[in-house]
Amino acid sequence: MFLRACRLEPVENVPVWFMRQAGRSLPEYRRARGNVSILEVVRRPELAAELTLQPVRRYGVDAAILFSDIVVPVAAIGFGVDVQHGLGPVVANPFASEADLERLRPLQPEVDTPYVIEAVKIAVEGLSPFGVPLIGFAGAPFTLASYLVEGGPSRSYARTKALMRSDTGLWTALLDRLADIALASLRSQVIAGAAAVQLFDSWVGALSRADYERYVMPASRRVLEGLKDLGVPRIHFGVDTGELLALMAKAGAEVVGVDWRVPLDEARARIGAGFAVQGNLDPAACLAPWDVVANEAREVLRRGSGIGHVFNLGHGVLPETDPDTLARLTDLVHATSPDSLR
Ligand code: CP3
């Protein structure tokens, strides 16, 4: 059903999965993972594949997303990135000059990230009894650049935007390298068996439409267009991207991820015909009493209209979410007839 919805084909039920469904709020995740750092988990394919499967077993979701992180490829080529527990990616020596481009050599997935390829293969095999496809993913050039330039999470992206405007040549070279790295990684994941891909441009909502079009869209397009021949659905997602939705669709996606700020029917009107949408229950709504969650989920379904809609949260599962809520949510989505939504 997930792949059918991505292709705008009729479905018996609206497919559902949750961004950041692997881990976080699952006790079986915490047990399996122990105290190992995320980048170390990713280097153990059996463990990464197991964590990928857990939410499928527990929730009965219609898609799995590979257990990995957006910084895995740049870490693998030795840029010097660490992921700090509870904080996110941190870079000891941020990207600042022409010389730093040399730290971003092309990714050779078979050599640099063989464990990702292996995890995809193991996960795909483990998913086959469930008939559930695997989503491969990568960080989009802007969002990755923001970590490399800022050195860690940021509110304003001031350094990133300063580089973008003050040395546009260097910025473009940086984004092109990150695009090639994302593309190589995604291609290797699809060739290993991923049935769809999601390009996470989580923080691109910090940009105006004009700046997105000028400084970012060409690199994101390079990634998405570079996957076209593989024929898998391409999902393009960011947070706070209400103003950018149409451009993100045009960059070369079949499915546009929508956060909780824009209702799906309105998002569709902005994007135009011919695209599926993914989203968009507020992750924080999952912390409310069940009746409230159920009502908000039904509203999302209604606005999604049952065709070309992949149900999801508007961003990742919050760590404090009760896994039972996600299980009930999955059941609610599956129990709703798409015909009743039109
Ligand atoms: O379902 C899944 O969780 C699959 C695996 C997954 C991770 N990261 C594992 C992870 C996925 C799909 C991601 C993507 C990711 N990573 C994004 C895009 C999605 C989004 O949320 O917008 C971004 C921006 C990152 C960068 C990143 N990595 C952040 C901001 C953080 C810290 C905050 C957090 O979510 O805990 C990480 C760390 C991270 N990535 C952890 C995991 C399991 C936690 C590691 C830890 O706390 O030790």
Side-chain angles (χ1 to χ4, degrees), residues 18-24 29 33 38 65-70 83-89 137 143 147 200 202-203 237 239 315-316:
F18 305 109
M19 286 184 276
R20 302 299 310 276
Q21 66 190 9
R24 293 224 182 173
Y29 165 82
R33 181 175 159 186
I38 161 109
I65 183 150
L66 183 69
F67 191 88
S68 183
D69 195 80
I70 58 168
V83 179
Q84 270 178 28
H85 184 67
L87 179 69
F137 75 91
T143 290
Y147 285 112
F200 280 101
S202 301
W203 313 136
F237 168 81
V239 182
H315 197 192

Side-chain angles (χ1 to χ4, degrees), residues 40-57:
E40 183 53 36
V41 175
V42 170
R43 283 187 222 110
R44 301 186 192 174
E46 294 282 350
L47 181 54
E50 163 60 21
L51 298 178
T52 302
L53 255 70
Q54 284 181 348
V56 175
R57 290 193 207 107

Side-chain angles (χ1 to χ4, degrees), residues 21-40:
Q21 66 190 9
R24 293 224 182 173
S25 51
L26 289 182
E28 61 266 38
Y29 165 82
R30 291 194 289 268
R31 268 198 307 277
R33 181 175 159 186
N35 285 327
V36 180
S37 90
I38 161 109
L39 292 179
E40 183 53 36

Side-chain angles (χ1 to χ4, degrees), residues 109-123:
E110 300 77 14
V111 180
D112 298 316
T113 49
Y115 40 84
V116 172
I117 295 174
E118 194 54 30
V120 169
K121 288 181 181 163
I122 301 169

